[in-house]
Amino acid sequence: MSSNIQVRGQPLPRVPARNHHMTHLLVCGVSTKRHHREINAISRNRSPSLDSVPTRTDKRQFLCGNDNGKFGRFGGKFVPETLMSRLMELEDEFNFVMSDHEFQEELTTALRDYVGRETPLYFAERLTKHYKNIVPTIKGGPEIYLKREDLSHCGSHKINNALAQAMISRRLGCSRVVAATGSGQHGVATAAACAKLSLECTVFMGATDIEKQSFNVRSMKLLGAQVKSVEGTFKDASSEAIRNWVENLYTTYYLSGTVVGPHPCPIIVREFQSVIGKETRRQANQLWGGKPDVLVACVGSGSNALGLFHEFVGDKDVRLVGIEAAGLGLDSGKHSATLAVGDVGVYHGSMSYLLQDDQGQILKPHSVGVG
Protein backbone atom coordinates (compact mmCIF):
# COMPACT_ATOMS: atom_id res chain seq x y z
CA MET A 1 0.00 0.00 0.00
CA SER A 2 1.34 3.38 -0.97
CA SER A 3 0.15 5.65 1.85
CA ASN A 4 0.79 5.34 5.56
CA ILE A 5 -2.40 4.98 7.60
CA GLN A 6 -1.27 5.52 11.15
CA VAL A 7 -3.17 5.02 14.39
CA ARG A 8 -2.15 7.09 17.38
CA GLY A 9 -0.29 4.89 19.84
CA GLN A 10 2.05 3.71 17.10
CA PRO A 11 5.17 5.59 15.92
CA LEU A 12 4.65 7.91 12.96
CA PRO A 13 7.02 7.46 10.03
CA ARG A 14 8.94 10.41 8.68
CA VAL A 15 7.51 11.81 5.46
CA PRO A 16 9.67 13.85 3.06
CA ALA A 17 8.84 17.54 3.07
CA ARG A 18 6.86 18.90 0.16
CA ASN A 19 7.71 22.06 -1.74
CA HIS A 20 4.99 24.01 0.01
CA HIS A 21 5.54 27.05 2.17
CA MET A 22 3.01 25.62 4.62
CA THR A 23 1.92 22.20 5.78
CA HIS A 24 -1.79 21.79 5.11
CA LEU A 25 -3.38 19.78 7.90
CA LEU A 26 -6.97 18.73 7.41
CA VAL A 27 -9.08 17.42 10.27
CA CYS A 28 -12.30 15.48 9.83
CA GLY A 29 -14.67 14.46 12.57
CA VAL A 30 -14.24 17.53 14.78
CA SER A 31 -17.36 19.50 15.59
CA THR A 32 -16.93 23.27 15.79
CA LYS A 33 -19.36 26.01 16.75
CA ARG A 34 -21.41 27.12 13.78
CA HIS A 35 -21.33 30.83 14.57
CA HIS A 36 -17.60 31.16 13.85
CA ARG A 37 -16.78 33.26 10.83
CA GLU A 38 -15.78 31.09 7.89
CA ILE A 39 -12.62 32.19 6.11
CA ASN A 40 -11.83 30.98 2.61
CA ALA A 41 -14.63 28.44 2.85
CA ILE A 42 -15.80 26.84 -0.37
CA SER A 43 -19.34 27.89 -1.23
CA ARG A 44 -21.84 25.08 -1.69
CA ASN A 45 -22.21 23.78 -5.19
CA ARG A 46 -25.86 24.15 -6.06
CA SER A 47 -25.77 21.99 -9.16
CA PRO A 48 -23.18 19.22 -8.77
CA SER A 49 -22.42 16.86 -11.58
CA LEU A 50 -22.38 13.09 -11.23
CA ASP A 51 -18.70 13.43 -10.33
CA SER A 52 -19.76 14.67 -6.90
CA VAL A 53 -21.46 11.43 -5.88
CA PRO A 54 -19.54 8.32 -4.82
CA THR A 55 -19.04 6.47 -8.07
CA ARG A 56 -16.89 3.38 -7.65
CA THR A 57 -13.50 4.21 -6.12
CA ASP A 58 -11.87 0.77 -5.85
CA LYS A 59 -10.44 0.46 -9.36
CA ARG A 60 -6.93 -0.02 -7.97
CA GLN A 61 -6.36 -3.69 -7.32
CA PHE A 62 -5.16 -3.35 -3.72
CA LEU A 63 -8.44 -1.60 -2.82
CA CYS A 64 -10.72 -4.26 -4.30
CA GLY A 65 -10.21 -7.24 -2.00
CA ASN A 66 -11.15 -10.68 -3.29
CA ASP A 67 -14.58 -12.02 -4.22
CA ASN A 68 -15.39 -12.68 -0.56
CA GLY A 69 -14.47 -9.18 0.50
CA LYS A 70 -11.17 -10.15 2.14
CA PHE A 71 -8.24 -7.76 2.22
CA GLY A 72 -5.41 -10.09 3.06
CA ARG A 73 -6.52 -11.82 6.25
CA PHE A 74 -9.08 -9.16 7.15
CA GLY A 75 -12.73 -8.71 6.18
CA GLY A 76 -14.68 -11.60 4.69
CA LYS A 77 -18.09 -13.14 5.36
CA PHE A 78 -18.25 -15.20 8.55
CA VAL A 79 -22.02 -15.63 8.71
CA PRO A 80 -24.63 -18.42 8.84
CA GLU A 81 -25.62 -20.02 5.55
CA THR A 82 -29.07 -18.38 5.77
CA LEU A 83 -27.42 -14.98 5.33
CA MET A 84 -25.17 -15.80 2.39
CA SER A 85 -27.78 -15.54 -0.37
CA ARG A 86 -29.12 -12.26 0.99
CA LEU A 87 -25.61 -10.78 1.20
CA MET A 88 -24.90 -11.89 -2.36
CA GLU A 89 -28.14 -10.25 -3.51
CA LEU A 90 -27.13 -7.06 -1.70
CA GLU A 91 -23.70 -7.14 -3.34
CA ASP A 92 -25.20 -7.59 -6.80
CA GLU A 93 -27.59 -4.68 -6.28
CA PHE A 94 -24.83 -2.47 -4.90
CA ASN A 95 -22.56 -3.20 -7.87
CA PHE A 96 -25.42 -2.37 -10.21
CA VAL A 97 -26.42 0.96 -8.64
CA MET A 98 -22.84 2.21 -8.56
CA SER A 99 -22.96 2.42 -12.36
CA ASP A 100 -26.69 3.05 -12.78
CA HIS A 101 -27.30 6.58 -14.07
CA GLU A 102 -30.84 6.83 -12.67
CA PHE A 103 -29.74 5.87 -9.14
CA GLN A 104 -26.72 8.17 -9.23
CA GLU A 105 -28.79 11.09 -10.46
CA GLU A 106 -31.35 10.61 -7.67
CA LEU A 107 -28.57 10.34 -5.10
CA THR A 108 -26.82 13.44 -6.45
CA THR A 109 -29.99 15.47 -6.12
CA ALA A 110 -30.68 14.16 -2.62
CA LEU A 111 -27.12 14.86 -1.44
CA ARG A 112 -27.41 18.41 -2.72
CA ASP A 113 -30.97 19.35 -1.78
CA TYR A 114 -31.69 17.11 1.24
CA VAL A 115 -28.25 16.64 2.82
CA GLY A 116 -26.83 20.04 1.85
CA ARG A 117 -23.61 18.94 0.16
CA GLU A 118 -21.00 20.00 -0.50
CA THR A 119 -19.82 20.79 3.02
CA PRO A 120 -17.29 23.60 3.43
CA LEU A 121 -13.56 23.16 3.96
CA TYR A 122 -13.18 25.67 6.79
CA PHE A 123 -9.88 27.43 7.51
CA ALA A 124 -9.44 27.32 11.30
CA GLU A 125 -7.59 30.64 11.55
CA ARG A 126 -7.33 30.92 15.34
CA LEU A 127 -6.34 27.25 15.75
CA THR A 128 -3.71 27.71 13.03
CA LYS A 129 -2.27 30.75 14.81
CA HIS A 130 -2.24 28.88 18.12
CA TYR A 131 -0.15 26.00 16.79
CA LYS A 132 2.13 28.27 14.81
CA ASN A 133 2.96 30.03 18.08
CA ILE A 134 3.61 26.90 20.14
CA VAL A 135 5.21 24.79 17.40
CA PRO A 136 7.41 27.22 15.45
CA THR A 137 9.05 25.81 12.35
CA ILE A 138 11.17 27.14 9.53
CA LYS A 139 8.16 27.08 7.23
CA GLY A 140 5.85 28.81 9.70
CA GLY A 141 3.80 25.86 10.99
CA PRO A 142 0.71 24.11 9.64
CA GLU A 143 -2.40 25.64 8.16
CA ILE A 144 -5.36 23.76 9.65
CA TYR A 145 -8.63 23.17 7.83
CA LEU A 146 -11.75 21.43 9.10
CA LYS A 147 -14.03 19.42 6.81
CA ARG A 148 -17.38 20.58 8.16
CA GLU A 149 -19.46 17.39 8.04
CA ASP A 150 -21.36 18.69 11.07
CA LEU A 151 -23.12 21.10 8.70
CA SER A 152 -24.82 18.23 6.87
CA HIS A 153 -28.50 17.51 7.53
CA CYS A 154 -28.80 15.70 10.91
CA GLY A 155 -25.46 17.11 12.05
CA SER A 156 -22.93 14.49 10.93
CA HIS A 157 -21.49 12.58 7.98
CA LYS A 158 -23.75 9.58 8.68
CA ILE A 159 -26.52 10.81 6.38
CA ASN A 160 -24.31 10.30 3.25
CA ASN A 161 -24.39 6.54 3.66
CA ALA A 162 -27.79 6.18 5.34
CA LEU A 163 -29.61 7.90 2.50
CA ALA A 164 -27.89 5.88 -0.23
CA GLN A 165 -28.47 2.56 1.55
CA ALA A 166 -32.10 3.41 2.24
CA MET A 167 -32.49 3.89 -1.51
CA ILE A 168 -30.98 0.43 -2.06
CA SER A 169 -33.33 -1.11 0.51
CA ARG A 170 -36.29 0.29 -1.40
CA ARG A 171 -34.95 -1.22 -4.64
CA LEU A 172 -34.66 -4.62 -2.90
CA GLY A 173 -38.33 -4.45 -1.96
CA CYS A 174 -37.79 -4.02 1.77
CA SER A 175 -40.40 -1.97 3.60
CA ARG A 176 -38.53 -1.91 6.91
CA VAL A 177 -35.03 -0.86 7.96
CA VAL A 178 -33.15 -1.80 11.14
CA ALA A 179 -29.97 -0.16 12.38
CA ALA A 180 -27.78 0.06 15.46
CA THR A 181 -26.37 3.29 16.83
CA GLY A 182 -23.94 4.33 19.54
CA SER A 183 -23.86 8.10 19.79
CA GLY A 184 -27.20 8.32 18.00
CA GLN A 185 -25.82 10.04 14.90
CA HIS A 186 -26.32 7.03 12.65
CA GLY A 187 -29.72 6.45 14.21
CA VAL A 188 -30.88 9.98 13.46
CA ALA A 189 -29.50 9.80 9.91
CA THR A 190 -31.21 6.45 9.27
CA ALA A 191 -34.48 7.76 10.69
CA ALA A 192 -34.26 10.83 8.43
CA ALA A 193 -33.49 8.73 5.35
CA CYS A 194 -36.39 6.38 6.10
CA ALA A 195 -38.74 9.31 6.68
CA LYS A 196 -37.80 10.72 3.27
CA LEU A 197 -38.41 7.39 1.53
CA SER A 198 -41.48 6.28 3.56
CA LEU A 199 -39.75 3.27 5.12
CA GLU A 200 -40.44 1.82 8.57
CA CYS A 201 -37.43 2.32 10.83
CA THR A 202 -36.27 0.55 14.00
CA VAL A 203 -33.07 1.64 15.76
CA PHE A 204 -31.34 -0.43 18.45
CA MET A 205 -29.32 1.50 21.01
CA GLY A 206 -27.48 0.65 24.24
CA ALA A 207 -29.30 1.61 27.43
CA THR A 208 -26.35 3.66 28.69
CA ASP A 209 -26.11 5.52 25.38
CA ILE A 210 -29.83 6.29 25.45
CA GLU A 211 -29.35 8.05 28.78
CA LYS A 212 -26.35 10.03 27.54
CA GLN A 213 -27.84 10.94 24.16
CA SER A 214 -31.45 11.71 24.98
CA PHE A 215 -31.55 14.54 22.43
CA ASN A 216 -30.69 12.19 19.56
CA VAL A 217 -33.21 9.64 20.84
CA ARG A 218 -35.89 12.34 20.77
CA SER A 219 -34.87 13.31 17.23
CA MET A 220 -35.15 9.70 16.02
CA LYS A 221 -38.63 9.42 17.49
CA LEU A 222 -39.71 12.74 15.99
CA LEU A 223 -38.61 11.38 12.60
CA GLY A 224 -40.88 8.37 13.09
CA ALA A 225 -38.34 5.75 14.16
CA GLN A 226 -38.90 3.18 16.88
CA VAL A 227 -35.98 3.17 19.33
CA LYS A 228 -35.34 -0.11 21.17
CA SER A 229 -33.14 -0.19 24.25
CA VAL A 230 -30.52 -2.94 24.54
CA GLU A 231 -28.62 -3.79 27.70
CA GLY A 232 -25.00 -2.85 27.01
CA THR A 233 -23.31 -0.58 24.49
CA PHE A 234 -23.03 -0.22 20.71
CA LYS A 235 -21.64 -3.71 20.11
CA ASP A 236 -24.63 -5.22 21.92
CA ALA A 237 -27.04 -3.01 19.97
CA SER A 238 -25.37 -4.17 16.74
CA SER A 239 -25.80 -7.81 17.73
CA GLU A 240 -29.48 -7.25 18.43
CA ALA A 241 -30.04 -5.39 15.14
CA ILE A 242 -28.39 -8.19 13.15
CA ARG A 243 -30.46 -10.76 15.05
CA ASN A 244 -33.63 -8.89 14.16
CA TRP A 245 -32.56 -8.67 10.53
CA VAL A 246 -31.94 -12.42 10.32
CA GLU A 247 -35.43 -13.06 11.67
CA ASN A 248 -37.00 -10.86 8.96
CA LEU A 249 -34.61 -11.25 6.04
CA TYR A 250 -36.96 -10.62 3.12
CA THR A 251 -38.90 -7.68 4.52
CA THR A 252 -36.13 -5.95 6.46
CA TYR A 253 -32.89 -4.24 5.44
CA TYR A 254 -29.96 -3.97 7.86
CA LEU A 255 -28.49 -0.51 7.36
CA SER A 256 -24.89 -0.56 8.57
CA GLY A 257 -23.25 2.74 9.43
CA THR A 258 -19.76 1.36 10.10
CA VAL A 259 -16.96 -0.15 8.04
CA VAL A 260 -17.24 -3.41 9.96
CA GLY A 261 -19.46 -6.43 9.48
CA PRO A 262 -19.73 -9.05 6.73
CA HIS A 263 -18.91 -8.24 3.12
CA PRO A 264 -20.22 -6.21 1.32
CA CYS A 265 -21.33 -3.97 4.22
CA PRO A 266 -17.92 -2.30 4.87
CA ILE A 267 -17.33 -1.61 1.17
CA ILE A 268 -20.81 -0.14 0.78
CA VAL A 269 -20.23 2.27 3.65
CA ARG A 270 -16.77 3.13 2.33
CA GLU A 271 -18.06 3.97 -1.13
CA PHE A 272 -20.96 6.13 0.03
CA GLN A 273 -18.79 8.00 2.54
CA SER A 274 -15.97 8.54 0.02
CA VAL A 275 -17.77 11.71 -1.09
CA ILE A 276 -16.00 13.37 1.88
CA GLY A 277 -12.52 12.70 0.50
CA LYS A 278 -13.51 13.50 -3.08
CA GLU A 279 -14.83 16.91 -2.05
CA THR A 280 -11.73 17.49 0.07
CA ARG A 281 -9.39 16.85 -2.84
CA ARG A 282 -11.31 19.20 -5.09
CA GLN A 283 -11.66 21.93 -2.45
CA ALA A 284 -7.98 21.75 -1.48
CA ASN A 285 -6.99 22.16 -5.10
CA GLN A 286 -9.22 25.23 -5.36
CA LEU A 287 -7.96 26.76 -2.10
CA TRP A 288 -4.21 26.30 -2.40
CA GLY A 289 -3.65 24.45 -5.64
CA GLY A 290 -2.52 21.17 -4.09
CA LYS A 291 -3.34 18.39 -1.66
CA PRO A 292 -3.32 18.24 2.14
CA ASP A 293 0.00 17.11 3.58
CA VAL A 294 -1.67 15.35 6.53
CA LEU A 295 -5.21 14.08 7.04
CA VAL A 296 -6.38 13.53 10.62
CA ALA A 297 -9.61 11.77 11.61
CA CYS A 298 -11.05 10.16 14.70
CA VAL A 299 -11.40 6.37 14.42
CA GLY A 300 -14.31 4.72 16.15
CA SER A 301 -16.13 2.35 13.83
CA GLY A 302 -14.34 3.82 10.82
CA SER A 303 -16.93 5.48 8.57
CA ASN A 304 -15.70 9.03 9.18
CA ALA A 305 -12.00 8.19 8.83
CA LEU A 306 -12.33 5.96 5.78
CA GLY A 307 -14.66 8.45 4.13
CA LEU A 308 -11.85 11.01 4.26
CA PHE A 309 -8.84 8.69 3.83
CA HIS A 310 -10.00 6.45 0.99
CA GLU A 311 -9.60 9.05 -1.74
CA PHE A 312 -5.96 9.60 -0.72
CA VAL A 313 -4.79 6.03 -0.01
CA GLY A 314 -2.78 5.96 -3.25
CA ASP A 315 -1.08 9.33 -2.63
CA LYS A 316 2.44 8.71 -1.33
CA ASP A 317 2.87 12.32 -0.24
CA VAL A 318 -0.24 12.48 1.96
CA ARG A 319 0.03 11.13 5.49
CA LEU A 320 -3.11 9.59 7.00
CA VAL A 321 -3.41 9.71 10.80
CA GLY A 322 -6.22 7.99 12.70
CA ILE A 323 -6.89 8.88 16.35
CA GLU A 324 -8.36 6.32 18.73
CA ALA A 325 -9.60 6.88 22.29
CA ALA A 326 -6.69 6.05 24.63
CA GLY A 327 -8.83 6.29 27.77
CA LEU A 328 -6.72 5.97 30.91
CA GLY A 329 -3.70 4.80 28.89
CA LEU A 330 -2.90 1.92 26.55
CA ASP A 331 -1.49 -0.15 29.44
CA SER A 332 -4.43 0.49 31.76
CA GLY A 333 -6.89 -1.91 30.14
CA LYS A 334 -9.38 0.96 30.01
CA HIS A 335 -9.31 2.36 26.48
CA SER A 336 -10.86 1.97 23.02
CA ALA A 337 -7.63 1.66 21.03
CA THR A 338 -8.66 -1.44 19.11
CA LEU A 339 -6.37 -0.92 16.11
CA ALA A 340 -3.37 0.21 18.16
CA VAL A 341 -3.25 -2.66 20.66
CA GLY A 342 -6.04 -5.08 19.69
CA ASP A 343 -5.73 -8.71 18.59
CA VAL A 344 -7.01 -10.29 15.39
CA GLY A 345 -10.35 -12.03 15.70
CA VAL A 346 -13.78 -12.52 14.13
CA TYR A 347 -16.81 -10.54 15.29
CA HIS A 348 -20.05 -9.44 13.62
CA GLY A 349 -19.22 -11.42 10.50
CA SER A 350 -15.71 -10.23 9.62
CA MET A 351 -12.09 -10.55 10.70
CA SER A 352 -10.58 -7.46 12.27
CA TYR A 353 -8.70 -6.19 15.30
CA LEU A 354 -10.61 -6.67 18.54
CA LEU A 355 -10.22 -6.01 22.25
CA GLN A 356 -10.42 -9.52 23.68
CA ASP A 357 -9.22 -11.60 26.61
CA ASP A 358 -7.04 -14.73 26.59
CA GLN A 359 -10.11 -16.88 25.87
CA GLY A 360 -11.10 -14.74 22.87
CA GLN A 361 -14.06 -13.12 24.62
CA ILE A 362 -14.78 -9.54 23.57
CA LEU A 363 -13.81 -6.96 26.18
CA LYS A 364 -15.84 -3.87 26.92
CA PRO A 365 -14.07 -0.75 25.61
CA HIS A 366 -13.59 2.26 27.87
CA SER A 367 -14.24 5.83 26.79
CA VAL A 368 -15.89 8.96 28.11
CA GLY A 369 -17.70 9.03 24.76
CA VAL A 370 -20.84 7.11 23.90
CA GLY A 371 -21.03 3.81 22.06
Side-chain angles (χ1 to χ4, degrees):
M1 188 170 290
S2 300
S3 290
N4 294 304
I5 301 177
Q6 201 68 38
V7 179
R8 187 163 183 170
Q10 299 174 342
L12 290 172
R14 293 186 177 274
V15 176
R18 301 258 295 283
N19 292 324
H20 289 175
H21 293 297
M22 299 292 180
T23 296
H24 292 93
L25 175 66
L26 191 139
V27 181
C28 189
V30 178
S31 178
T32 56
K33 293 185 181 297
R34 299 188 182 194
H35 63 263
H36 285 179
R37 184 166 62 95
E38 294 187 4
I39 300 173
N40 292 334
I42 300 292
S43 61
R44 296 190 180 199
N45 187 346
R46 302 314 302 168
S47 56
S49 67
L50 288 180
D51 291 337
S52 65
V53 299
T55 51
R56 202 61 184 255
T57 61
D58 58 4
K59 300 300 184 184
R60 290 162 291 187
Q61 186 59 41
F62 68 88
L63 298 179
C64 295
N66 64 20
D67 292 339
N68 291 317
K70 295 202 72 175
F71 296 79
R73 65 191 299 197
F74 299 105
K77 283 188 280 193
F78 297 86
V79 296
E81 191 64 33
T82 52
L83 272 180
M84 291 298 288
S85 62
R86 196 59 172 163
L87 288 172
M88 290 174 65
E89 184 180 356
L90 173 60
E91 184 178 5
D92 288 343
E93 187 64 27
F94 167 68
N95 288 332
F96 176 79
V97 302
M98 290 306 289
S99 57
D100 179 61
H101 182 82
E102 183 179 347
F103 179 91
Q104 294 293 336
E105 189 170 28
E106 181 183 355
L107 180 57
T108 298
T109 301
L111 288 174
R112 182 192 66 204
D113 297 339
Y114 189 69
V115 175
R117 302 210 71 88
E118 62 186 21
T119 57
L121 191 57
Y122 168 77
F123 177 53
E125 184 179 28
R126 291 179 60 205
L127 191 62
T128 294
K129 288 181 178 178
H130 172 75
Y131 281 104
K132 283 184 177 182
N133 289 334
I134 66 173
V135 189
T137 65
I138 296 175
K139 294 185 178 181
E143 290 187 342
I144 301 172
Y145 291 78
L146 306 179
K147 182 62 172 152
R148 294 297 304 275
E149 289 302 295
D150 58 307
L151 296 181
S152 295
H153 180 43
C154 301
S156 79
H157 67 290
K158 292 291 188 178
I159 189 67
N160 304 326
N161 163 70
L163 185 57
Q165 283 206 60
M167 289 168 56
I168 291 178
S169 73
R170 184 181 58 182
R171 293 172 65 99
L172 290 173
C174 297
S175 59
R176 178 173 176 265
V177 167
V178 296
T181 191
S183 67
Q185 290 180 335
H186 178 59
V188 173
T190 300
C194 289
K196 183 181 187 301
L197 299 174
S198 299
L199 297 169
E200 182 185 344
C201 179
T202 302
V203 179
F204 293 87
M205 191 172 184
T208 304
D209 297 332
I210 286 178
E211 291 180 10
K212 291 181 178 179
Q213 297 293 105
S214 58
F215 178 80
N216 282 339
V217 173
R218 184 169 180 268
S219 296
M220 285 182 255
K221 291 180 177 179
L222 285 173
L223 288 164
Q226 181 182 13
V227 181
K228 291 194 174 183
S229 177
V230 177
E231 192 63 35
T233 57
F234 174 63
K235 69 180 182 66
D236 305 292
S238 296
S239 297
E240 198 59 38
I242 293 172
R243 217 174 271 121
N244 188 279
W245 174 45
V246 172
E247 293 171 358
N248 305 277
L249 269 182
Y250 292 97
T251 60
T252 298
Y253 183 92
Y254 172 60
L255 204 158
S256 173
T258 67
V259 289
V260 296
H263 176 71
C265 295
I267 288 179
I268 291 175
V269 176
R270 180 191 76 184
E271 293 300 316
F272 290 136
Q273 291 294 2
S274 66
V275 65
I276 302 172
K278 290 180 178 181
E279 285 183 4
T280 298
R281 183 186 290 276
R282 183 170 61 251
Q283 291 168 324
N285 188 60
Q286 291 174 3
L287 281 169
W288 63 81
K291 296 178 289 188
D293 296 272
V294 184
L295 299 178
V296 180
C298 58
V299 180
S301 56
S303 61
N304 163 73
L306 198 54
L308 177 65
F309 291 167
H310 184 61
E311 171 69 16
F312 296 91
V313 165
D315 292 81
K316 296 180 180 180
D317 51 354
V318 178
R319 191 164 66 174
L320 313 178
V321 182
I323 308 295
E324 291 189 299
L328 301 180
L330 297 182
D331 298 325
S332 68
K334 294 185 176 182
H335 57 77
S336 299
T338 307
L339 297 178
V341 297
D343 298 309
V344 176
V346 174
Y347 194 60
H348 286 156
S350 66
M351 183 171 287
S352 182
Y353 282 107
L354 307 169
L355 297 179
Q356 51 189 321
D357 61 21
D358 294 337
Q359 282 73 47
Q361 298 301 308
I362 305 301
L363 297 174
K364 183 178 179 181
H366 172 87
S367 174
V368 294
V370 291

